Amino acid sequence: MKLTILGSGTSHGVPVIGCSCPTCLSEDPRDNRSNASLLIESGGQNILIDCGRDFRQQALRHQLGRVDCILLTHTHFDHVAGIDDLRVFSRRGHPIPLFGSPAHLNYLKTYIYHYLFDPTIQRGGGVTELDLVAVDERFLLAGLLFETLPAWHGELEVFGYKFGGCAYLSDVSRVPKATLQKLYNLEVLVLGALRHAPHPTHFTISQALELASEVKPRRLYLTHLCHDVLHEQTEQSFEKKGGPYHTGLEAHLAYDGLRIEL
Ligand SMILES: [Zn+2]
Ligand SMILES: [Zn+2]
Ligand SMILES: [Zn+2]
């Protein structure tokens, strides 16, 4: 199994339009962040977790030749806006399975992508054909057992996913006990951490490190980062003994294009 961080940024992306802060002006390519998304390659299949507004560029950059299914964490636009571009991968009669919580699938169908499910709509240029699959706790996919990781993103319940010794939880500000129990003994944990300062709907870097220190994954990658986080400087602070970000874990910031081999 191979993981690729297709995007490591928050909804605005980095650089932010009109911003001239050090991260937005940085020449380090790791400070260039598109909307958060993960590609899982397993058993010859390409599985996407989320499909945000930067999906088209991500797919071109990685020469993505197929998408076999999508797992949805929630329906914020930075996680679903690329679904329209999936039409090149879906053929009429061969819809792409999209897995998610019943509430999020219902919201997606009713409010965001109503036209995809309207049989009366003119289908000239083609539309993405989706097969919505509501999931609860666990399901099998590409020879892997997936488990949902319900968590809180402010007041919104979202899903993370656990599979093959890895877990991905991108937009999160509180993790309930039942989900925390599932995060022990991981090989890889990809966890959302927006910035240094507190935020009502996302973990800070400190909060994410605190959770990771409890469950102790062998490798930790922080994702869904905003422009307050300068890559090189923050990475170095993970190593600084006695510093606020030192945990003793193998901790990194994710960046666009990062490949994680397992
Ligand atoms: Zn997000
Ligand atoms: Zn900036
Ligand atoms: Zn969100």
Side-chain angles (χ1 to χ4, degrees):
M1 183 172 64
K2 229 186 326 182
L3 308 180
T4 305
I5 301 284
L6 295 180
S8 60
T10 188
S11 54
H12 292 89
V14 182
V16 175
I17 296 170
C19 185
S20 53
C21 77
T23 313
C24 289
L25 294 180
S26 165
E27 289 181 5
D28 184 339
R30 299 169 302 176
D31 283 320
N32 209 309
R33 304 179 182 123
S34 61
N35 288 168
S37 174
L38 183 77
L39 171 67
I40 305 164
E41 292 170 78
S42 174
Q45 297 213 24
N46 285 345
I47 301 164
L48 277 186
I49 301 187
D50 291 336
C51 186
R53 69 164 72 84
D54 297 315
F55 171 71
R56 184 172 178 277
Q57 291 306 326
Q58 294 166 347
L60 291 171
R61 193 179 305 143
H62 293 281
Q63 300 178 321
L64 218 56
R66 55 190 284 183
V67 170
D68 296 287
C69 61
I70 306 155
L71 309 183
L72 197 64
T73 61
H74 64 305
T75 53
H76 283 163
F77 216 51
D78 54 321
H79 298 261
V80 300
I83 286 175
D84 185 78
D85 283 314
L86 286 171
R87 66 185 130 139
V88 296
F89 295 124
S90 72
R91 301 277 178 271
R92 219 169 282 185
H94 296 281
I96 300 177
L98 187 149
F99 297 76
S101 78
H104 289 307
L105 296 187
N106 190 42
Y107 191 87
L108 188 84
K109 185 175 176 174
T110 310
Y111 298 108
I112 305 181
Y113 281 111
H114 178 255
Y115 69 93
L116 297 182
F117 303 94
D118 178 357
T120 66
I121 200 162
Q122 178 172 292
R123 283 169 137 74
V127 298
T128 302
E129 310 276 349
L130 294 175
D131 178 17
L132 302 184
V133 186
V135 288
D136 179 17
E137 275 190 40
R138 51 186 60 142
F139 51 99
L140 272 170
L141 199 55
L144 287 174
L145 177 68
F146 281 80
E147 279 182 79
T148 59
L149 301 170
W152 294 99
H153 176 23
E155 300 291 306
L156 180 71
E157 191 176 29
V158 297
F159 272 179
Y161 294 95
K162 178 180 168 180
F163 50 94
C166 306
Y168 183 85
L169 193 49
S170 68
D171 293 50
V172 58
S173 53
R174 189 160 54 86
V175 174
K177 251 193 188 140
T179 292
L180 190 71
Q181 295 303 325
K182 297 181 189 175
L183 298 179
Y184 286 86
N185 296 315
L186 291 169
E187 180 62 38
V188 170
L189 173 60
V190 183
L191 184 60
L194 184 72
R195 62 186 190 188
H196 306 290
H199 189 276
T201 62
H202 291 276
F203 273 160
T204 61
I205 290 181
S206 296
Q207 289 168 328
L209 290 173
E210 194 183 327
L211 184 149
S213 298
E214 167 67 29
V215 299
K216 294 186 173 39
R218 273 176 281 286
R219 284 179 278 171
L220 171 72
Y221 298 92
L222 301 183
T223 193
H224 209 289
L225 305 160
C226 84
H227 64 152
D228 294 354
V229 181
L230 203 51
H231 189 98
E232 184 59 32
Q233 194 184 67
T234 310
E235 276 274 323
Q236 282 177 11
S237 68
F238 292 152
E239 303 290 321
K240 215 174 271 169
K241 283 196 177 145
Y245 287 168
H246 185 257
T247 57
L249 297 169
E250 186 184 332
H252 301 283
L253 293 183
Y255 55 87
D256 286 28
L258 172 68
R259 281 182 183 274
I260 304 168
E261 305 269 350
L262 284 128

